[in-house]
Amino acid sequence: MFTVRVRAQPPAPARSADRWADAGLVSGEAVELDVRAARLGSRVLALLIDLLVQVVLAAALSAGLSLLLLFLPTAIVDAALTGALQTVLLVLVLVGYPVLMERFVGGRTIGKLAVGLRVVRADGGPVGVGQSLTRALVGVAVEWPGLVLPLLSWVASVTVMLTDPRGRRLGDLVAGTMVVHTRGAAVWRPVPLAVPALLGWAHTLDLTRLDDGLALAARQYLGRVHQLVEPERARLGRELWAEVGAVITPPPPWAAPESVYLAAVLAERHRRAVDRLRRTRGVAAMLWPELTTSPVAAPPPAAPPPAATAPAATAPAATAPAATAPATTAPAATAPALAVPTQPDPVRAQPAPVDAEHPAG
């Protein structure tokens, strides 16, 4: 089994904004969680999506409210009732929407779901109803739409988000919450292919002693080499190549980085596996063609014709009119031919006993 020994990485950069796990969340086992805090750009994008949803929701509720007022008696419909219903509608859209969504969708609204954000407590736990309500009320009052000094509150909110290490807004500071990313920002990178100069050497390799565990370790190293830091990246590459080079022959023709050797070995191993699979499928296609053909293109073969011994079995029946044999004797004459269709000799020998029992004159 391949064992990887990894030392602690060098200290993280001084600025927390340059780190991946900049949310500062720590689990109960005192392990820092690899989570990013949401910044101004992603949160504004989520807010714009939520605003579009709220506009559609407000239009639908307004249509329903208009229908309700039409069916109410004219005596009770006045400006006070209309204003009260409009206020309730506004509260439902601006406060009820985020609170209910964060309560039942795990701290996410539709905009946060689209962008990949989630509201959590400052310690990383799930957000509660009281905290969601506090965030919504503070947001409506001093952030968006900002009922108290709109322009000044907008500037203050943006300033707080830009200066806070976790990108929190005023509602987060009051409620004790924060917004984090739920999706990783790592870029998928394929395994490097073999360089053309090593293809000839790779074709001559003996890979019989390269087991799956060691090949998987090399594959994972090449897939994550861009995430490692020096000098650990070079040291781990040297250790992996030392183990791989000890089980393959011949040695490489010229000096190159260890990752180049590993990529050439894995590419050749993959090529040989594809060739073996192609040959196996070719043999299976010859032995069992139905596996590689469609039932519509290749219908099943027709049923075989009746047994070839049927005419021989009916030969004695041709003499039945001349012999004036009773009708009950015909099945007895043909029964042996049906019971033993693959033995023609006893069938041919049966006309003599039939003629003996019923002489012709």
Side-chain angles (χ1 to χ4, degrees):
M1 180 181 294
F2 180 76
T3 304
V4 179
R5 299 182 300 274
V6 180
R7 296 182 305 173
Q9 293 188 358
R15 293 191 307 165
S16 61
D18 297 334
R19 301 173 54 200
W20 163 255
D22 58 356
L25 300 180
V26 181
S27 66
E29 293 78 14
V31 177
E32 185 177 7
L33 301 179
D34 197 12
V35 178
R36 286 188 306 150
R39 302 296 173 180
L40 179 62
S42 57
R43 297 189 65 170
V44 169
L45 179 59
L47 176 61
L48 293 177
I49 298 176
D50 284 332
L51 287 178
L52 180 61
V53 174
Q54 287 175 324
V55 168
V56 174
L57 181 61
L61 292 179
S62 298
L65 179 61
S66 300
L67 292 177
L68 177 63
L69 293 177
L70 290 176
F71 286 100
L72 289 178
T74 311
I76 64 174
V77 176
D78 55 2
L81 178 61
T82 304
L85 292 178
Q86 291 177 352
T87 302
V88 172
L89 186 148
L90 187 65
V91 171
L92 287 177
V93 171
L94 296 179
V95 180
Y97 164 75
V99 172
L100 293 177
M101 288 292 297
E102 292 175 4
R103 171 63 181 85
F104 294 104
V105 194
R108 292 170 291 187
T109 58
I110 295 179
K112 291 182 175 63
L113 278 172
V115 182
L117 305 179
R118 180 194 295 268
V119 181
V120 296
R121 295 200 310 256
D123 58 355
V127 65
V129 178
Q131 294 170 323
S132 297
L133 181 60
T134 302
R135 294 180 74 254
L137 291 176
V138 174
V140 170
V142 298
E143 292 177 329
W144 179 262
L147 302 179
V148 179
L149 300 176
L151 294 178
L152 182 60
S153 62
W154 294 350
V155 174
S157 178
V158 172
T159 303
V160 169
M161 292 183 65
L162 291 176
T163 57
D164 187 80
R166 298 183 178 183
R168 293 177 294 181
R169 61 179 178 87
L170 293 174
D172 292 321
L173 294 175
V174 175
T177 59
M178 63 179 301
V179 180
V180 298
H181 284 274
T182 59
R183 304 170 186 168
V187 179
W188 181 83
R189 298 175 182 271
V191 175
L193 300 177
V195 296
L198 290 177
L199 290 179
W201 166 73
H203 289 339
T204 63
L205 288 176
D206 179 12
L207 304 178
T208 55
R209 293 190 297 163
L210 181 61
D211 58 355
D212 296 338
L214 187 55
L216 178 61
R219 172 67 177 84
Q220 292 177 344
Y221 168 76
L222 293 177
R224 302 173 182 174
V225 68
H226 301 280
Q227 301 176 1
L228 304 177
V229 295
E230 295 292 350
E232 303 301 327
R233 176 169 55 191
R235 182 188 61 80
L236 184 57
R238 288 193 300 268
E239 292 182 0
L240 273 173
W241 172 242
E243 297 201 21
V244 173
V247 296
I248 64 172
T249 54
W254 44 272
E258 289 78 7
S259 59
V260 176
Y261 294 147
L262 294 175
V265 171
L266 291 183
E268 177 63 19
R269 191 173 187 267
H270 176 71
R271 186 190 67 81
R272 296 181 185 182
V274 171
D275 289 343
R276 286 195 302 269
L277 180 60
R278 186 182 298 110
R279 290 195 299 268
T280 302
R281 290 180 176 177
V283 173
M286 289 193 308
L287 297 179
W288 197 349
E290 292 79 2
L291 291 177
T292 58
T293 57
S294 174
V296 178
T309 58
T314 57
T319 61
T324 64
T328 57
T329 60
T334 58
L338 295 176
V340 190
T342 59
Q343 298 180 2
D345 295 338
V347 176
R348 296 194 189 98
Q350 287 177 8
V354 172
D355 293 341
E357 290 181 2
H358 305 282

